[in-house]
């Protein structure tokens, strides 16, 4: 076990552990783990451990638990709610080097280490005509451990579901260092409590995922897409609600507001967007019925006053999606010296989608903010991104007020504070409003599985 000298005296016991991974106490290394892709900043950890195996994770957790040392799991560091940011110092346990990968095409499943990157997995699966389907936008950096931890999803969730819908089995290390398998490598089981479903989305507060078996789907034979513009946000969002209510099952159904199209066009010379509220509709099929579905989708959009319909063939769909994936970068570069205050993430019942879109616009206008919206609209998910001068504290406060008002409205509409980014630091204060009496049960589960409170402290659940 290689290590570097520095501070972190409370964690020097790591040097004595028999692990194959690496340990660092170097301040310059530890500083890299104080923040992720969110606006949240944590506390400098005392040590970083890069686990090389499940046994490494177990050894670190057992020793840390005995000493009451906090452990924050870290994988890709691409979270948007501070999910992996250490808030209590201690140890950051990096699982990015757990990259085992085994595909069982005949069983339509793959077993992968927590550090396997989403896009890398799908590149491997393509040789078998298969893929892991949630379709997240940060797939070039997001890892399977992080996706399981936050129950991540994205573009394709409207048809294929979120990460939880595909997880069949988890290998998890508990707070006291036990290695436990939850679930089985089968499509369904009715045996016992579904611990894997409890652990998916728990953000490392109940255990550390080291390996996951996921179900796969076939790559569709036919893909068709269309960029559809509308005169206003509400017309576009009403078309979304009508399409899903009409039993259309798209492969993806993305909402992009006018401000987002302006940002993308400014960022990319080849961006395909007209500067109007836009839907990106993608359909999947393994038969010729896809053309009928496309005609049906167009008729729905016509009913809601669409201003243009631009069909895209299979050969250029990926180019359109790549332009959409650049939204975060386009926002950051839109106004010199300004930056993103936060990336909002709410979900509402599909019939309430026009209402939550309208709420963002009204609150943003009320607070005099530049806010752009995109959303995986087919499943009711909306992201909103206020752009601020980071040196203007009052403006930053207004951006957080926007977030609070929109999240509160989403919960009032029967929705949720987060659809795919997780709770992390930023959404803890909404958990009581969303879950009511069930929150106490969650806190009891946490205390049972992590009685010393060492696992990712300060995340997901508010203090009792």
């Amino acid at each position: 076990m290689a290590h570097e000298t520095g501070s972190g005296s409370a964690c020097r016991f790591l040097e004595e552990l028999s692990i194959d991974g690496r340990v660092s106490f170097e301040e310059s290394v530890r500083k890299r783990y104080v923040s992720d892709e969110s606006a949240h900043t944590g506390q400098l950890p005392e040590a970083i451990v890069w686990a090389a195996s499940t046994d490494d994770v177990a050894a670190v957790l057992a020793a840390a638990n005995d000493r009451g040392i906090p452990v924050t799991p870290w994988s890709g560091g691409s979270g948007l709610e501070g999910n992996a940011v250490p808030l209590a110092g201690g140890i950051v346990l990096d699982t990015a080097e757990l990259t085992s990968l085994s595909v069982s095409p005949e069983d339509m499943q793959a077993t992968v280490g927590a550090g396997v990157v989403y896009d890398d997995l799908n590149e491997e699966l393509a040789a078998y005509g298969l893929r892991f389907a949630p379709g997240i936008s940060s797939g070039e950096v997001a890892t399977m451990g992080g996706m399981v931890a936050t129950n991540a999803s994205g573009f394709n969730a409207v048809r294929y579901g979120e990460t939880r819908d595909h997880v069949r089995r988890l290998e998890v290390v508990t707070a006291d260092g036990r290695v436990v398998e939850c679930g089985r490598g089968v499509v369904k089981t009715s045996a016992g409590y579904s611990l894997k479903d409890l652990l998916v989305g728990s953000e490392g507060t109940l255990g550390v995922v080291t390996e996951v078996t996921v179900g796969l789907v076939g790559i569709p034979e036919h893909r068709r897409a269309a960029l559809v513009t509308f005169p206003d946000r509400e017309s576009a969002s009403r078309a979304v609600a009508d399409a899903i209510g009409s039993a259309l099952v798209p492969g993806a159904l993305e909402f992009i507001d006018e401000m987002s199209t302006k940002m993308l066009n400014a960022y990319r010379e080849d961006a395909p967007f007209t500067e109007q509220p836009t839907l990106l509709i993608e359909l999947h099929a393994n038969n010729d019925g896809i053309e009928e579905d496309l005609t049906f989708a167009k008729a729905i959009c016509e009913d809601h006053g669409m201003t243009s319909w631009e069909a895209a063939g299979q050969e250029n769909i990926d180019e359109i999606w790549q332009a959409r994936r650049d939204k975060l970068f386009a926002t950051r570069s839109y106004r010199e010296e300004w930056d993103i205050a936060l990336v909002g993430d709410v979900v509402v019942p599909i019939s309430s989608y026009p209402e939550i879109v309208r709420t963002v616009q009204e609150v943003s206008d009320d607070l005099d903010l530049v806010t752009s919206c995109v959303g995986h609209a087919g499943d009711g998910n909306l992201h909103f991104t206020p752009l601020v001068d980071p040196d203007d504290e009052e403006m930053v406060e207004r951006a957080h007020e926007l977030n609070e008002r929109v999240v509160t409205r989403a919960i009032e509409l029967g929705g949720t504070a987060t659809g795919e980014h997780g709770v992390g630091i930023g959404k803890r204060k909404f958990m009581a409003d969303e879950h009511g009496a069930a929150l106490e049960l969650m806190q009891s589960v946490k205390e049972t599985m992590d009685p010393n409170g060492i696992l990712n402290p300060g995340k997901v659940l508010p203090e009792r």
Side-chain angles (χ1 to χ4, degrees):
M1 176 182 67
H3 64 272
E4 300 166 357
T5 59
S7 60
S9 58
C11 297
R12 286 292 170 179
F13 67 90
L14 293 168
E15 297 177 299
E16 309 303 322
L17 297 182
S18 298
I19 67 173
D20 295 322
R22 297 173 291 128
V23 178
S24 177
F25 301 100
E26 187 67 37
E27 183 175 0
S28 62
V29 175
R30 293 183 288 129
K31 283 182 176 179
R32 299 175 199 163
Y33 290 85
V34 172
S35 60
D36 57 7
E37 288 298 313
S38 73
H40 301 288
T41 301
Q43 180 179 324
L44 188 69
E46 296 177 45
I48 311 299
V49 177
W50 294 271
S53 66
T54 298
D55 288 344
D56 285 355
V57 174
V60 170
L61 287 178
N65 190 58
D66 286 345
R67 295 164 175 81
I69 303 294
V71 178
T72 302
W74 181 285
S75 193
S78 60
L80 292 170
E81 286 295 350
N83 319 78
V85 170
L87 292 181
I91 301 164
V92 168
L93 181 56
D94 192 327
T95 60
E97 295 182 12
L98 304 182
T99 56
S100 61
L101 197 164
S102 174
V103 182
S104 178
E106 63 275 14
D107 293 320
M108 300 283 286
Q109 66 184 29
T111 298
V112 299
V116 170
V117 173
Y118 178 78
D119 281 357
D120 293 345
L121 172 60
N122 276 330
E123 184 176 345
E124 183 81 13
L125 294 174
Y128 303 95
L130 300 171
R131 65 182 179 131
F132 178 51
I136 62 172
S137 59
S138 58
E140 72 280 2
V141 291
T143 63
M144 292 299 296
M147 289 187 66
V148 169
T150 59
N151 190 30
S153 60
F155 304 128
N156 301 131
V158 61
R159 184 180 182 97
Y160 301 101
E162 54 195 353
T163 294
R164 176 179 282 114
D165 297 314
H166 303 274
V167 172
R168 296 183 178 175
R169 168 194 156 273
L170 293 176
E171 179 184 79
V172 180
V173 183
T174 62
D176 58 4
R178 288 173 293 163
V179 180
V180 180
E181 289 199 9
C182 304
R184 306 289 289 174
V186 292
V187 174
K188 65 179 184 177
T189 173
S190 298
Y193 302 140
S194 185
L195 294 179
K196 70 175 178 65
D197 289 304
L198 176 63
L199 288 156
V200 175
S202 65
E203 300 183 35
T205 62
L206 302 179
V208 178
V209 172
T210 53
E211 187 177 82
V212 54
T213 299
V214 292
L216 309 174
V217 299
I219 296 173
E221 182 179 353
H222 301 294
R223 296 168 65 201
R224 296 289 185 274
L227 282 173
V228 193
T229 61
F230 294 82
D232 51 61
R233 291 182 179 194
E234 286 215 32
S235 297
S237 56
R238 284 197 300 268
V240 169
D242 195 6
I244 300 302
S246 300
L248 184 71
V249 185
L253 178 50
E254 199 75 3
F255 170 74
I256 308 169
D257 78 348
E258 183 177 1
M259 178 56 71
S260 295
T261 62
K262 289 180 179 179
M263 290 175 171
L264 287 163
N265 287 343
Y267 184 73
R268 294 178 60 112
E269 290 184 0
D270 62 343
F273 303 108
T274 301
E275 293 182 0
Q276 287 181 264
T278 299
L279 295 184
L280 171 48
I281 302 171
E282 181 173 326
L283 301 175
H284 297 169
N286 293 319
N287 54 55
D288 294 334
I290 194 169
E291 299 299 341
E292 295 177 6
D293 286 346
L294 199 63
T295 299
F296 180 41
K298 185 175 183 180
I300 291 172
C301 293
E302 287 173 338
D303 288 343
H304 292 278
M306 74 175 194
T307 55
S308 70
W309 171 281
E310 183 178 348
Q314 192 145 331
E315 66 281 356
N316 56 359
I317 292 176
D318 291 337
E319 295 175 10
I320 295 172
W321 279 113
Q322 186 54 56
R324 162 61 184 87
R325 286 188 178 96
D326 285 340
K327 167 60 173 58
L328 205 60
F329 307 110
T331 306
R332 284 183 171 136
S333 67
Y334 186 67
R335 185 166 294 185
E336 189 175 356
E337 297 181 357
W338 283 33
D339 202 355
I340 293 170
L342 55 93
V343 180
D345 168 41
V346 295
V347 182
V348 295
I350 195 64
S351 62
S352 296
Y353 203 73
E355 169 68 17
I356 200 64
V357 169
R358 182 168 59 252
T359 297
V360 174
Q361 183 170 9
E362 290 175 351
V363 176
S364 183
D365 290 346
D366 182 47
L367 297 173
D368 192 24
L369 291 168
V370 177
T371 306
S372 55
C373 291
V374 294
H376 314 315
D379 54 23
N381 199 174
L382 183 67
H383 300 303
F384 49 96
T385 311
L387 193 61
V388 300
D389 178 353
D391 296 325
D392 186 336
E393 293 183 7
E394 192 271 337
M395 181 182 285
V396 173
E397 288 177 6
R398 279 186 276 132
H400 287 283
E401 181 182 345
L402 166 75
N403 186 53
E404 186 151 345
R405 288 167 63 175
V406 173
V407 172
T408 298
R409 184 61 181 144
I411 293 171
E412 289 172 350
L413 290 168
T416 178
T418 173
E420 56 189 33
H421 295 168
V423 176
I425 300 168
K427 297 291 179 68
R428 293 174 76 203
K429 61 184 175 182
F430 302 109
M431 292 301 97
D433 286 344
E434 180 166 337
H435 296 291
L439 182 61
E440 188 174 343
L441 283 177
M442 296 181 193
Q443 290 167 326
S444 297
V445 170
K446 168 68 172 173
E447 290 163 4
T448 298
M449 297 185 69
D450 180 22
N452 294 328
I454 69 161
L455 287 176
N456 208 6
K459 311 294 173 56
V460 184
L461 302 180
E463 302 299 331
R464 277 188 185 266

